[in-house]
Amino acid sequence: MDFDSFLTSLGTSFIIFVFLMCLFAWLSSKPGNTVVYYPNRILKGLDPWEGGSRTRNPFTWIKEAMSSSEQDVINMSGLDTAVYFVFMSTVLGIFALSGIILLPALLPVAATDDSIQAAGKNTTSIGTFNDLDKLSMGNITAKSPRLWAFLVATYWVSFVTYFLLWRGYKHVSELRADALMSPEVRPQQFAVLVRDLPDLPKGQSRKEQVDAYFKAIYPDTFYRSMVVTNNKEANKIYEELEGYKKKLARAEAVYAESKSAGKPEGTRPTIKTGFLGLLGKRVDAIEYYNEKIKEIIPKLEAEQKITLKEKQLGAALVFFTSRVAAASAAQSLHAQLVDTWTVSDAPESRELIWNNLNIKFFQRQIRQYVVYVIVALTIMFYMIPIGFISALTTLDNLKKILPFLKPVINITAVKTVLEAYLPQIALIVFLALLPKLLLFLSKTEGIPAVSHAVRAASGKYFYFTVLNVFIGVTVGGTLFKTFKSIEKDPNSIVDILANSLPGNATFFLTYVALQFFVGYGLELSRIVPLIIYHLKRKYLCKTEAELKEAWFPGDLGYGTRVPSDMLIVTIVFCYSCIAPLIIPFGVVYFALGWLILRNQALKVYVPAYESYGRMWPHMFLRLVAALLLYQITMLGYFGSKKFIYVGFLIPLPILSLIFVYICQKRFYKSFSDTALEVASRELKEIPSMEHIFRSYIPLSLNSEKVDDDQFEDALSQASRSGSFVV
C-alpha cells in the first residue's frame, strides 16, 4: 500500500464516520425514532430529550456523554457497564501515556537513521511506503546504539500498563464492594446454589434431604429450599400458552383496527386451524384462541404438579434470612468429598441456566476439557470448515445440490457476481456464527449462569481473534510470500518472521482506523436497527408488546465487544515500539469508543444481567496476555536486529507473571466470593423472604393460584424458627 492509498483509505473512512454522525444527529431528533435511539431512558420512564427535540443542539449528546459520572452509568446500565468503561479508560490511559513519551522520543531516532535506504528492505509496506518507513523501527540499522531508545520504550509501556492496571483493579474492587454493600434488597444475596446432591436415603424426599442438611448446619438462618426440577414439558406447555395469548392480543388489535377503518361493528379476524394456518376449517380467531387458552391452562397446572412431585433433580436453591449466612455458605466446604454438596453463590434468577444445574461434578470436568479441545481445534483448523462450506457453495456444486437454480446461475451477470462473492459470503457467515457457537460450547460445559457463559465465550473468542487475525495475518502472510526462501534455508524462518513485523504495520493501521471510524459510526447511527424497526412496525406489529419487541435493544454484547477491543489492544501493544504511529490510532479508537458507547449505555442498551463486575478479572488477564505477547515480540525483534543487549528485556515477561500473581492474590478472591464485611452491612428494610423466594420460581411453574400446598414437594416450607438479620 502506497502513501496515497493509505490516505485515501483513511479519508474515506473519516468521511463515512462524519456522514453517519450527522445522520444520527438528524434521525435521533425525530419523534418517531425515539424508541430506537433512547430505549433505555424510555424504559426507565425518563424523557428521551432533556429540553425538547426542537430546541436541542444535535451534538448535545457529546456534552452529555462527557459530563456523565460513573454513578450515572451505574444507575442507567448497571455496574457491569461501568466496569467496561473502567477497562476502556484504563487502556486509553495506557496508550496516551505511552504515546506522550514514545512519539517524540522514537520518531526522531528512527527518522534520522538510514537502514531502509541502505538495505532496501524491512519496510513498513514492503518497499513502497518510504515516508512512513523512516518513522518505524525497521529503519534502525542492526546493532545500532539507537536501539537503546526502543528498549527503554518497551520498559516504559510495560510499567505504565502495570501501574494503570493495578489502579483499575483496585477501583473496580471498590465499585463491586460498594454495590454489594447497597442497602437495597437483592434476592441473589440471600440464596446459594447447591449442586451434586448425594443419592436419596430411603424414605426421604429430595426436599426433606436438603432441608435436614442445611437446618443442621444453619439452624438460625436457614429459611427455605427450592429443589430444581426437570421443567422441559412444563416449559413447552407454558410457551404454547404464551404463544396463544400473543396471538389473541394480535387478533383483538386487528379487530379493533377494523372498527376504525371500516364498518363500526368491525370485521372479526378468521384463521384456518390446520397446518401452518393454510389448511383446515376457517374459524373466528378470537374465539379459537380463547378456547385454546382455556384448554391449556388446566393442562399446565396439572403438569406443574407432576413436575414438582415426580421430576426433582439433584440440585437445589437454598435461601437464608441473612446475607452474611448466604455469603458464608457460598464459600465454605460443606462435604468431605468435593463431588457432593457443592455450594456456590446463586446468580440472578433471570440468568440461571436451569438445564445445567443437574450436571454432576465430574461430568462438568469432562465437558470442560472436551470443549477446550473442540475450541483449540476450531482455532487451529478453522479454515477447514470454511473451505468445506466454500467448496459446497461453488457454482458447479450448487447446480448439483440445487438443480432448480441452474437457469438462474447460468445467467452471465449472476454467475459473475456469485463467483466473485460466494466464498467471501461463506467466510462472513461462518465468522458471524462463531460467537454463537462459542457461547453454545461454553453453556455445554455445565456453567450455571448466563454471565459466566458469556465470560467463558469471550475468552475463547479473544484467543480465536488474536491467533487467527493478528498472528495469522502476520505469520501466514509472510510464510506464504517467503515459502521458497524458507524451503532453501529452514533456519532463516525466525529472521524472516521478525523482519515481517514492520511489513504488516500499514495493514493494521488501516484495520484500526476502519474499526473506529466505520464501526463506531454504524454503532452510533443505529441504521440497521432503525430500518428493521420501521419495517416491522409498518408490516408486522399490531400490538404494543410486538412493538416493544421490535425496538428492544438488548445489552452491550460483552461476549463479542470485549474480544474485539482486546484485538485492538494486542495490535497496538505489539506495534507500539516497532511502528509508534499506531499509538494515536489506538488512542482515537478507545477515546471515540468511550464517547459513543457512553451515549449508548446511558440511552440505548439495557443490561440483560448484573454480575457486579465479574468481567473485570477476565479483561485483566487478557490485557496482561496481550502485554506478554508484546514483550515476547519485542524480544524476538531485538534479536533479529542483532542487538547484543536484548537480554535486558528478559525480566519483563517474568515481571508480568509476578504482577499477575500479586494482583490475583490481592484482589481476585473478592470477585469470586463476597467478603463477609461487605455482606454484613445493614439493609434499608426488612426483606420479604417470600418475595425473594418466589422471584426464583420459573415462569412455567409460577401459577396464578399461589398456595404453598402446590409447591410442597419441591419447594420446602419456611423455617419457622428463622429470624431476619442482615
Side-chain angles (χ1 to χ4, degrees):
M1 180 185 289
D2 58 26
F3 189 63
D4 290 339
S5 299
F6 175 74
L7 288 180
T8 301
S9 173
L10 196 62
T12 304
S13 298
F14 178 72
I15 291 169
I16 291 172
F17 173 74
V18 172
F19 169 75
L20 291 172
M21 191 169 70
C22 293
L23 192 64
F24 161 76
W26 177 61
L27 291 173
S28 63
S29 66
K30 303 296 179 184
N33 297 335
T34 55
V35 292
V36 176
Y37 293 104
Y38 305 96
N40 195 8
R41 291 183 62 85
I42 291 171
L43 289 170
K44 285 184 167 55
L46 301 174
D47 181 23
W49 305 289
E50 293 177 8
S53 60
R54 293 180 182 273
T55 59
R56 180 182 168 89
N57 187 310
F59 298 103
T60 302
W61 67 271
I62 297 175
K63 180 183 176 183
E64 291 172 350
M66 294 185 70
S67 62
S68 63
S69 66
E70 194 168 57
Q71 191 59 47
D72 292 332
V73 175
I74 293 173
N75 292 340
M76 294 299 295
S77 288
L79 183 64
D80 285 337
T81 305
V83 168
Y84 176 71
F85 283 107
V86 174
F87 158 72
M88 294 283 283
S89 57
T90 299
V91 176
L92 177 60
I94 291 169
F95 291 155
L97 288 176
S98 299
I100 287 171
I101 300 298
L102 267 60
L103 291 172
L106 299 186
L107 293 183
V109 172
T112 53
D113 209 339
D114 60 353
S115 174
I116 290 173
Q117 191 173 356
K121 61 181 181 178
N122 296 350
T123 67
T124 302
S125 56
I126 321 300
T128 61
F129 210 4
N130 293 322
D131 291 334
L132 292 186
D133 289 339
K134 294 176 182 177
L135 303 177
S136 74
M137 196 173 169
N139 196 39
I140 303 296
T141 307
K143 302 180 182 179
S144 171
R146 294 169 182 254
L147 291 170
W148 274 108
F150 292 87
L151 188 145
V152 172
T154 305
Y155 267 90
W156 171 254
V157 173
S158 299
F159 280 104
V160 165
T161 304
Y162 298 148
F163 171 71
L164 291 180
L165 281 182
W166 176 273
R167 196 175 71 168
Y169 217 143
K170 184 179 178 183
H171 180 55
V172 173
S173 179
E174 291 169 353
L175 285 178
R176 175 175 166 82
D178 289 342
L180 293 175
M181 286 190 292
S182 168
E184 300 293 329
V185 175
R186 297 187 176 101
Q188 67 272 22
Q189 290 185 292
F190 293 85
V192 295
L193 174 63
V194 185
R195 307 170 82 180
D196 309 308
L197 300 183
D199 294 336
L200 277 173
K202 288 184 179 179
Q204 196 176 46
S205 69
R206 184 66 80 183
K207 178 210 63 162
E208 291 169 342
Q209 179 195 31
V210 175
D211 285 0
Y213 187 83
F214 281 93
K215 278 180 183 177
I217 301 174
Y218 307 96
D220 297 326
T221 54
F222 171 75
Y223 173 69
R224 200 170 180 180
S225 68
M226 178 189 296
V227 176
V228 174
T229 53
N230 182 352
N231 305 333
K232 185 176 179 181
E233 188 61 32
N235 289 341
K236 183 179 176 182
I237 298 171
Y238 176 78
E239 288 168 7
E240 185 183 5
L241 176 62
E242 290 299 303
Y244 279 121
K245 286 181 178 179
K246 288 181 181 179
K247 289 177 181 178
L248 175 61
R250 182 181 177 85
E252 288 174 341
V254 170
Y255 180 46
E257 187 180 340
S258 70
K259 289 181 180 180
S260 58
K263 300 176 182 179
E265 65 274 12
T267 304
R268 292 181 71 85
T270 59
I271 59 161
K272 290 184 177 180
T273 58
F275 179 72
L276 295 177
L278 301 174
L279 304 173
K281 182 182 177 183
R282 184 170 290 280
V283 297
D284 183 288
I286 295 175
E287 291 180 1
Y288 176 75
Y289 293 140
N290 273 316
E291 288 172 6
K292 295 299 288 186
I293 290 170
K294 290 176 183 177
E295 177 186 319
I296 292 174
I297 288 175
K299 184 179 176 184
L300 176 61
E301 291 174 351
E303 180 58 34
Q304 287 173 344
K305 292 179 180 178
I306 293 171
T307 299
L308 293 169
K309 287 181 180 179
E310 302 175 8
K311 299 182 180 180
Q312 298 176 27
L313 303 175
L317 288 158
V318 174
F319 299 85
F320 297 88
T321 57
S322 161
R323 293 198 298 186
V324 173
S328 179
Q331 50 195 286
S332 301
L333 182 66
H334 284 76
Q336 195 73 8
L337 301 177
V338 295
D339 60 336
T340 57
W341 296 105
T342 306
V343 181
S344 61
D345 56 338
E348 289 182 307
S349 57
R350 59 180 171 172
E351 63 160 333
L352 271 172
I353 306 174
W354 292 94
N355 292 337
N356 285 355
L357 302 186
N358 190 46
I359 300 173
K360 296 297 183 182
F361 180 83
F362 288 111
Q363 271 188 299
R364 298 198 296 272
Q365 300 298 311
I366 294 169
R367 282 169 176 248
Q368 190 177 58
Y369 290 126
V370 170
V371 167
Y372 287 170
V373 170
I374 293 172
V375 171
L377 292 175
T378 303
I379 291 172
M380 289 187 290
F381 304 111
Y382 87 106
M383 285 306 298
I384 294 175
I386 292 175
F388 179 71
I389 294 169
S390 298
L392 286 179
T393 53
T394 59
L395 298 188
D396 290 338
N397 285 334
L398 276 180
K399 289 177 185 177
K400 293 176 184 176
I401 299 168
L402 305 171
F404 61 87
L405 291 178
K406 190 173 181 180
V408 179
I409 293 173
N410 287 334
I411 299 172
T412 305
V414 175
K415 184 177 180 181
T416 303
V417 172
L418 289 177
E419 285 178 340
Y421 293 108
L422 214 53
Q424 288 82 351
I425 291 171
L427 175 61
I428 290 169
V429 170
F430 178 80
L431 292 178
L433 293 176
L434 183 63
K436 295 186 182 298
L437 171 65
L438 295 178
L439 183 60
F440 168 77
L441 289 174
S442 297
K443 289 181 178 180
T444 305
E445 293 179 36
I447 290 171
V450 173
S451 60
H452 188 178
V454 168
R455 294 196 297 274
S458 177
K460 297 175 180 69
Y461 196 49
F462 164 74
Y463 293 117
F464 182 90
T465 54
V466 168
L467 291 171
N468 283 307
V469 177
F470 174 66
I471 296 177
V473 168
T474 303
V475 176
T478 302
L479 291 178
F480 181 77
K481 292 174 185 176
T482 59
F483 182 75
K484 290 185 178 179
S485 301
I486 295 170
E487 191 177 24
K488 292 177 183 176
D489 183 12
N491 294 327
S492 67
I493 186 169
V494 175
D495 287 338
I496 289 172
L497 290 176
N499 292 331
S500 73
L501 286 170
N504 292 288
T506 52
F507 169 82
F508 288 118
L509 280 170
T510 309
Y511 177 83
V512 175
L514 191 68
Q515 287 291 312
F516 65 69
F517 278 142
V518 179
Y520 282 133
L522 289 171
E523 171 66 54
L524 180 66
S525 64
R526 289 180 61 78
I527 290 295
V528 175
L530 180 71
I531 293 171
I532 291 173
Y533 164 68
H534 281 294
L535 287 174
K536 286 184 175 180
R537 181 186 179 188
K538 185 173 179 63
Y539 298 108
L540 299 176
C541 298
K542 296 295 182 183
T543 66
E544 286 299 319
E546 289 175 339
L547 274 174
K548 183 179 178 180
E549 190 176 337
W551 58 255
F552 193 80
D555 62 10
L556 267 170
Y558 302 107
T560 53
R561 193 176 295 280
V562 172
S564 299
D565 292 339
M566 289 293 183
L567 175 61
I568 303 298
V569 171
T570 305
I571 291 169
V572 178
F573 262 148
C574 290
Y575 281 93
S576 59
C577 289
I578 294 171
L581 276 181
I582 203 169
I583 295 176
F585 286 81
V587 170
V588 174
Y589 175 88
F590 283 98
L592 203 58
W594 185 95
L595 180 67
I596 290 173
L597 292 175
R598 193 86 163 187
N599 176 78
Q600 307 300 78
L602 292 169
K603 298 169 184 174
V604 179
Y605 293 117
V606 178
Y609 53 79
E610 180 60 79
S611 68
Y612 300 100
R614 282 188 167 176
M615 189 70 161
W616 175 260
H618 161 92
M619 294 188 288
F620 169 81
L621 287 176
R622 272 61 186 183
L623 280 169
V624 177
L627 181 67
L628 273 167
L629 183 59
Y630 154 69
Q631 292 165 345
I632 293 168
T633 299
M634 293 309 297
L635 264 168
Y637 195 60
F638 273 105
S640 74
K641 285 289 185 180
K642 298 178 174 57
F643 188 52
I644 59 174
Y645 300 104
V646 66
F648 282 101
L649 287 179
I650 293 175
L652 276 181
I654 299 171
L655 282 174
S656 295
L657 294 174
I658 293 172
F659 174 71
V660 170
Y661 178 80
I662 293 173
C663 285
Q664 295 295 85
K665 285 294 181 182
R666 182 177 175 86
F667 298 114
Y668 181 72
K669 188 68 175 172
S670 65
F671 284 83
S672 61
D673 299 312
T674 301
L676 298 186
E677 68 174 359
V678 169
S680 64
R681 293 301 177 96
E682 291 185 6
L683 292 169
K684 185 167 64 176
E685 58 187 16
I686 296 175
S688 168
M689 293 307 301
E690 189 64 18
H691 173 74
I692 289 172
F693 174 78
R694 291 199 171 275
S695 69
Y696 275 90
I697 298 176
L699 291 173
S700 59
L701 299 181
N702 203 355
S703 174
E704 294 178 2
K705 299 178 180 178
V706 179
D707 83 37
D708 280 333
D709 291 337
Q710 182 183 359
F711 300 106
E712 63 181 353
D713 291 282
L715 314 181
S716 71
Q717 298 300 306
S719 172
R720 301 305 175 191
S721 61
S723 58
F724 293 97
V725 293
V726 296

